Amino acid sequence: MVVESAIKSSPAYVVVTLYAFQDTLLYPYGPKYQDTRTPKADDGASPPIPISEDFYFFTQKFRSLYVNNNGVVSFDNPVSQFTPDPFPLTDGRAFVAPFWADVDNRITGEVYHRQSRDEQLLKRVTADINVYFPKETFVATWVFVATWDRVAFYGSLSSKVNTFQAVLTSNGHLSFIMLHYQDIQWTSGKASGGDAFTGLGGTPAQAGFNNGDAKNYFNIPGSWTPRIINVSSTSNVMVPGRWVFQVDIFAVPNGCIYKANFLSFGAIIWSDNTCENKCQCISDGNRVVCQAGKCASDEICQSASFYYLCQPMHRATCQVLSGWHYTTFDGQLYHFQGSCTYVLSQMCMPLHKHNLEYYHIEADILMPETDLGAPHIERLRMMVYGQEVASIIGTTEHVLVSHQKYGSL
């Protein structure tokens, strides 16, 4: 733990402000380590930075990059775009996005970067990569560290700031990326539809990386959704706030890639909106295996990010008492009088969003002919599985199933 202090004093009081960070997560950064700052500019970027080692990113080899204020390390060209697009991008842009959003370092915060062949730093990154990829023989010869230190968002009227980091490393053949999230307090700038006081709402940040085609990309879970605010508590290496990847060929530790998203070993999902294709991430070959499956009778198929899950259905009861007292599914009591056909319950969700059978229940309510009588249900009809089941209450009539008589009441 490294602690820095700032002291403000007067004859009346002394205030001590402590800033702490966990150097076990973030790699060292700042002026003490001869880092360079990017300009204080809205949507700004560093000049092109020649790098001293080949960095292979999927099918391409790069020898220069840019550090962009808006949370992106890009190759070939800077990225000034402040509202992120979801991955994949197919416009040829190749970049690593630890937290692509509308950063404004003119308000507060710094964006640092450096490339290094420092022996101690290379030992540290080598040790980390060998823990996460034990089957690889990797000795780092180059490392690049870009850090967004307590940066604000465009249009901010708050004190909310984010601190995150991208680490790129290579030995000239194998290439790896580590993304670190120490403290994430906002997700979007005002020009992206975010709230000036909370930094939330609008179009949230996109995190991961993109090779510029429709095939080679990755989304950090929660990207482009409000859930990205929780990225500092997520990981694919069991270190909260750290995500690690091999990117000369795409590989991740401790899980599988499914539709450019991460699944931990043992995770079970459904790939389609009918929950008829059940998939599981298995450790044998880091693969996702799918087979036919379906939800249980008391479950419903619901969307969950890039996949679907079978979720338990909530149970409730509605009642009709004496033909004019109605208790709805949420427990509210209502009173209606008058001869009419009432729809008591029916499926209202679009059919493609669940695997439940459509149904419709209605009742004919008859008012009494005299003041001494009470309203009552004369006929009850239910439509389900393409059949109509009808009964006349309080008579000796038969039950009608699609207009055919069955049994007696």
Side-chain angles (χ1 to χ4, degrees):
M1 180 75 71
V2 176
V3 177
E4 301 174 354
S5 65
I7 302 177
K8 176 181 179 181
S9 62
S10 75
Y13 62 88
V14 175
V15 176
V16 179
T17 304
L18 298 180
Y19 302 98
F21 64 88
Q22 294 179 313
D23 57 5
T24 55
L25 177 66
L26 296 182
Y27 278 34
Y29 68 91
K32 179 180 178 180
Y33 299 96
Q34 290 77 53
D35 277 6
T36 300
R37 294 181 174 95
T38 63
K40 294 276 189 179
D42 183 31
D43 307 325
S46 69
I49 303 170
I51 58 179
S52 56
E53 189 64 270
D54 291 338
F55 190 83
Y56 287 88
F57 190 56
F58 295 103
T59 58
Q60 303 181 71
K61 180 177 72 173
F62 295 100
R63 291 299 296 264
S64 67
L65 52 75
Y66 296 82
V67 176
N68 303 271
N69 288 356
N70 287 337
V72 172
V73 175
S74 59
F75 305 101
D76 286 340
N77 296 291
V79 176
S80 61
Q81 182 177 336
F82 53 85
T83 299
D85 290 322
F87 294 162
L89 307 179
T90 58
D91 55 10
R93 288 185 291 175
F95 57 76
V96 179
F99 203 82
W100 185 14
D102 199 359
V103 172
D104 194 343
N105 63 345
R106 300 172 304 173
I107 298 175
T108 189
E110 299 287 350
V111 182
Y112 296 108
H113 61 87
R114 78 180 183 281
Q115 61 178 318
S116 177
R117 294 185 185 271
D118 175 78
E119 183 178 349
Q120 294 303 312
L121 191 62
L122 291 176
K123 285 183 178 179
R124 175 172 175 175
V125 73
T126 296
D128 281 342
I129 296 302
N130 285 330
V131 167
Y132 305 135
F133 293 91
K135 294 182 181 180
E136 297 287 356
T137 302
F138 177 74
V139 177
T141 57
W142 170 87
V143 63
F144 187 89
V145 181
T147 307
W148 288 257
D149 180 38
R150 292 178 287 195
V151 291
F153 59 89
Y154 179 83
S156 174
L157 297 176
S158 77
S159 59
K160 292 192 173 186
V161 293
N162 287 350
T163 297
F164 54 93
Q165 185 180 75
V167 177
L168 284 63
T169 187
S170 174
N171 64 0
H173 302 284
L174 304 179
S175 301
F176 299 88
I177 292 171
M178 291 193 290
L179 303 180
H180 297 152
Y181 302 94
Q182 179 180 276
D183 187 22
I184 302 299
Q185 301 178 7
W186 59 267
T187 64
S188 53
K190 186 177 179 180
S192 302
D195 185 274
F197 294 96
T198 66
L200 306 176
T203 303
Q206 171 71 37
F209 43 84
N210 182 80
N211 191 44
D213 56 29
K215 180 179 179 181
N216 298 306
Y217 65 99
F218 181 82
N219 292 301
I220 296 286
S223 290
W224 224 57
T225 78
R227 296 191 305 276
I228 197 65
I229 192 72
N230 301 316
V231 68
S232 59
S233 63
T234 67
S235 175
N236 67 335
V237 292
M238 294 178 287
V239 178
R242 172 173 286 179
W243 286 81
V244 185
F245 313 91
Q246 183 175 354
V247 293
D248 54 286
I249 58 170
F250 189 24
V252 297
N254 302 321
C256 310
I257 298 301
Y258 182 77
K259 295 183 179 179
N261 291 275
F262 178 76
L263 292 176
S264 58
F265 288 142
I268 296 176
I269 64 169
W270 278 257
S271 64
D272 60 301
N273 61 7
T274 61
C275 286
E276 295 180 350
N277 193 37
K278 185 178 181 180
C279 303
Q280 184 173 19
C281 171
I282 63 174
S283 57
D284 181 14
N286 296 63
R287 4 182 231 118
V288 175
V289 176
C290 299
Q291 60 185 2
K294 62 180 181 179
C295 296
S297 59
D298 60 348
E299 295 178 323
I300 188 171
C301 187
Q302 292 186 334
S303 175
S305 184
F306 61 94
Y307 54 88
Y308 296 84
L309 292 174
C310 290
Q311 302 283 16
M313 288 185 290
H314 298 290
R315 296 185 178 276
T317 302
C318 68
Q319 293 181 314
V320 181
L321 303 174
S322 302
W324 64 290
H325 303 291
Y326 300 86
T327 302
T328 55
F329 287 112
D330 59 0
Q332 299 295 313
L333 178 63
Y334 298 91
H335 306 285
F336 297 104
Q337 295 190 44
S339 297
C340 191
T341 297
Y342 292 89
V343 176
L344 303 182
S345 180
Q346 69 176 5
M347 184 69 68
C348 57
M349 185 184 297
L351 290 175
H352 68 274
K353 290 189 176 181
H354 57 78
N355 64 347
L356 298 178
E357 187 69 25
Y358 176 81
Y359 75 93
H360 176 95
I361 301 173
E362 63 184 32
D364 294 336
I365 307 297
L366 184 66
M367 292 296 292
E369 296 181 357
T370 68
D371 293 339
L372 299 177
H376 63 273
I377 299 176
E378 181 184 45
R379 183 187 297 267
L380 185 68
R381 286 189 298 273
M382 178 173 66
M383 281 68 76
V384 67
Y385 295 109
Q387 305 286 332
E388 178 183 294
V389 180
S391 64
I392 298 176
I393 308 301
T395 72
T396 58
E397 294 290 334
H398 295 74
V399 175
L400 301 178
V401 180
S402 295
H403 307 292
Q404 299 284 331
K405 292 182 179 181
Y406 289 91
S408 60
L409 296 174

